[in-house]
Amino acid sequence: MGAWQPLPDDLPSEVRHFVDQLRQLKDRTGLSLVALGARTAYSKSSWQRYLNATQPPPRQAVVALCRVAGIDKDEAERFGVRWELAVQAWPKPVTVPEKPEGAAPAAGGAEIDGEEYEDDPTLPWWDAPPKTSAPSSGRLLTVAVGLAVLLALAVVIGAVALG
């Protein structure tokens, strides 16, 4: 179980310590990455990224691993503190060169209020902001009223046709 890839030399000490602790906790479960993925809401490939320090895990992944490992509340809280320190120190991805005026947003992000949003790997998908803007409530109301009118018309036509 202890045959982990060496971590990159340029990792901040907080990240290195956290990932080492996470690896030890995973080893303590005795589960493979596939089995760990089946017991948590995170896939085998996600766990590979988290345990090889290529991507910070979401807080909920750490909570899930603590639960699967059966650690007590105090130790789980210490993991939460280690996670906060590691995420703050986690190396930021390489920035993409500035795009020219009028260019479309990058595939990994969406333009929101003039700023480019990039996926935050520490947020689960259900906490991330929407990638496209939702239709305005006025337009949504118009569509709903139109559908209601069509439904009423279909009921009237059906009643007339069937007697």
Side-chain angles (χ1 to χ4, degrees), residues 12-105:
S13 61
E14 297 90 345
V15 175
R16 181 176 297 281
H17 177 70
F18 173 72
V19 172
D20 284 338
Q21 294 293 311
L22 210 58
R23 286 176 168 187
Q24 288 175 13
L25 188 60
K26 185 267 176 207
D27 286 344
R28 208 165 98 184
T29 67
L31 298 172
S32 68
L33 291 176
V34 172
L36 182 60
R39 302 266 311 263
T40 65
Y42 301 90
S43 67
K44 171 192 171 192
S45 58
S46 293
W47 282 112
Q48 285 175 326
R49 289 189 301 272
Y50 307 152
L51 295 167
N52 288 319
T54 57
Q55 178 181 351
R59 178 185 286 274
Q60 291 304 315
V62 177
V63 169
L65 179 57
C66 289
R67 180 183 41 78
V68 169
I71 65 171
D72 63 25
K73 182 181 176 187
D74 292 337
E75 183 65 16
E77 286 178 13
R78 284 192 285 276
F79 263 97
V81 170
R82 288 184 201 122
W83 175 84
E84 288 177 17
L85 293 171
V87 168
Q88 289 173 1
W90 211 283
K92 303 294 181 229
V94 177
T95 57
V96 178
E98 224 177 276
K99 62 180 182 247
E101 285 286 320

Side-chain angles (χ1 to χ4, degrees), residues 142-157:
T142 304
V143 170
V145 168
L147 288 174
V149 168
L150 284 175
L151 180 61
L153 186 60
V155 168
V156 170
I157 291 173

